[in-house]
Amino acid sequence: AVVMTVISGSVLIALIPLLLWPFALRKAMARSAGKQREKFRDTLPGYLQDLASAMRVGRSFVGGLSAVVETADEPIRGAFERAITDEALGRPLEEALEAAAKRMQASDLDQVALIAGLNRRSGSNVAEALDRVAEGARERADLRREIKALTGQARMSSWVLTALPGVLL
């Protein structure tokens, strides 16, 4: 604001950056959170397969999650650590995973929460169900990447076609 006052000589123009700063900061934070969520959704299938492998060797669901957390990178590590901590404090694991799914906007983690609930109630074959969720998540991630590439290609084509008349003139 001080620089704008010096450059423009008007205090009113200097107020513009002060008024726009919160909106710019909110936009930057939303973009950063979106990147973290996208990274979470893209890396989740591999860690779900690791969880399924841990379940096959005889670990409990929470024990398998703890094993995954030991080798995981952010943001998977933070989300699973928080779910494990919530479970240790008495919250059912499926509720903790559902909360993580809402925070990360990951419907695949919602399915994992359902599997955790089924495992707690009936002791079903969790490893196979996790493998299927991981496979579906991987297919959805592939589709997202393909759609992103195709829309990027279409955007670039529109830029070229828009600029072409001006370049030719």
Side-chain angles (χ1 to χ4, degrees):
V2 172
V3 171
M4 288 296 288
T5 303
V6 171
I7 292 173
S8 68
S10 172
V11 176
L12 291 177
I13 293 177
L15 290 177
I16 293 172
L18 289 176
L19 294 174
L20 294 180
W21 179 248
F23 298 107
L25 185 61
R26 184 177 178 93
K27 179 77 171 172
M29 293 299 293
R31 184 173 184 207
S32 177
K35 284 184 179 182
Q36 287 292 312
R37 288 179 180 126
E38 186 176 338
K39 184 177 179 184
F40 183 89
R41 286 189 297 264
D42 286 344
T43 58
L44 184 63
Y47 290 115
L48 289 180
Q49 285 189 324
D50 291 348
L51 177 59
S53 297
M55 299 288 293
R56 279 192 193 91
V57 297
R59 292 192 180 210
S60 66
F61 204 95
V62 175
L65 273 178
S66 297
V68 168
V69 164
E70 291 173 9
T71 61
D73 295 327
E74 288 298 332
I76 298 283
R77 174 186 294 246
F80 284 174
E81 278 180 345
R82 190 167 178 182
I84 292 169
T85 303
D86 286 351
E87 194 273 336
L89 293 173
R91 187 176 190 184
L93 184 61
E94 59 267 18
E95 286 181 19
L97 289 172
E98 285 172 1
K102 283 182 184 175
R103 272 192 312 276
M104 292 307 218
Q105 297 175 355
S107 60
D108 300 320
L109 195 55
D110 254 342
Q111 293 176 359
V112 173
L114 287 171
I115 292 169
L118 287 173
N119 179 46
R120 186 174 56 85
R121 286 185 216 106
S122 67
S124 60
N125 187 1
V126 175
E128 174 139 359
L130 287 172
D131 281 336
R132 292 189 188 273
V133 170
E135 182 181 326
R138 188 168 283 114
E139 288 174 4
R140 279 187 290 282
D142 289 343
L143 281 173
R144 270 194 306 273
R145 282 191 291 274
E146 186 175 349
I147 289 170
K148 195 174 185 178
L150 291 173
T151 57
Q153 195 175 30
R155 248 182 282 128
M156 183 61 124
S157 295
S158 72
W159 293 342
V160 168
L161 291 174
T162 302
L164 194 60
V167 170
L168 289 176
L169 282 176

